[in-house]
Amino acid sequence: MKIDGIDKKIIRSLIKDARIPILSIARDVGISGAAIHQRLRKLEKSELIDSYQMKINPKVLGYTTVAFVGVFLETTAVLSSIIKRIKEIKEVVECHYTSGNFTIFIKVLCKDNEDLMLLLDTKIKIINGVSKFETFISLNQQIDRQIHI
C-alpha cells in the first residue's frame, strides 16, 4: 500500500483522536472535507484502516491485574477446540498462536491476583488439551502505541 504525506497526516490525526471532526483534519491538512472523506474511503477499502475503536480504561472498572499466560498443549491437533474455549473466557483480551516455547500466548485482565488465580484454576487449567501453562504478571505497561506512520 502506497500512502502519501496527506494520507499520513490524516492517519496520524485519527490515531491521536479518532473522534476528531473531518473538517478539523481538512483545515490542518489544507484540503477539503470531501477530499478527506475520499481518502478515508480509499484507506478503508485498502484495509490499511482496520477499524475505529473506543478504548476503555480497565482500571476504572477495577481490573488492576494484567497478566500474560503461555499455554502448552498436549498436541496442536486440539488447537481449534482450545481456542474456542479460550474465546469464552471474558477476561481474555488477546490470544496468539506462537512459534516459541508456548503454543498459545494470551493476555488477560483480572480484578486482582486472587481473581487471576481463580481464572487459572477454574477456566484455563481445566481445558482439555492444555498440558501446562506459565503466567507472567505485568507490573507496569511501558509502551502502548500504534505502528508509526
Side-chain angles (χ1 to χ4, degrees):
M1 171 78 200
K2 189 119 171 118
I3 57 175
D4 63 17
I6 292 174
D7 290 333
K8 288 179 182 181
K9 287 180 181 180
I10 294 168
I11 292 167
R12 287 180 188 138
S13 293
L14 289 168
I15 286 173
K16 194 173 181 181
D17 179 7
R19 295 178 58 185
I20 189 170
I22 297 298
L23 291 177
S24 292
I25 297 172
R27 276 192 299 275
D28 290 344
V29 174
I31 61 176
S32 71
I36 298 290
H37 275 289
Q38 287 176 345
R39 284 174 175 267
L40 283 172
R41 297 304 156 246
K42 175 191 76 164
L43 294 168
E44 290 165 357
K45 190 174 181 177
S46 74
E47 298 182 346
L48 179 66
I49 294 179
D50 189 36
S51 66
Y52 300 87
Q53 295 180 341
M54 175 181 62
K55 187 173 178 184
I56 294 173
N57 181 349
K59 289 181 183 177
V60 173
L61 296 174
Y63 291 88
T64 60
T65 298
V66 176
F68 298 90
V69 182
V71 182
F72 296 88
L73 305 184
E74 291 169 1
T75 174
T76 56
V78 295
L79 178 66
S80 62
S81 65
I82 289 175
I83 297 298
K84 191 175 186 179
R85 292 284 309 274
I86 288 173
K87 281 183 180 179
E88 297 170 358
I89 303 170
K90 68 178 178 65
E91 296 89 350
V92 173
V93 294
E94 289 184 28
C95 179
H96 302 267
Y97 178 49
T98 66
S99 63
N101 291 331
F102 315 110
T103 309
I104 301 170
F105 202 66
I106 62 176
K107 179 180 178 181
V108 297
L109 297 176
C110 297
K111 299 275 185 180
D112 51 33
N113 288 353
E114 190 173 312
D115 193 33
L116 173 61
M117 285 182 4
L118 189 64
L119 169 84
L120 295 171
D121 287 341
T122 64
K123 295 181 181 177
I124 304 288
K125 188 186 290 186
I126 64 164
I127 298 174
N128 287 334
V130 170
S131 63
K132 63 181 180 174
F133 55 86
E134 193 171 339
T135 306
F136 307 88
I137 295 176
S138 172
L139 301 175
N140 188 0
Q141 183 175 351
Q142 301 296 310
I143 298 172
D144 181 18
R145 63 179 172 207
Q146 295 275 347
I147 192 160
H148 180 72
I149 297 289

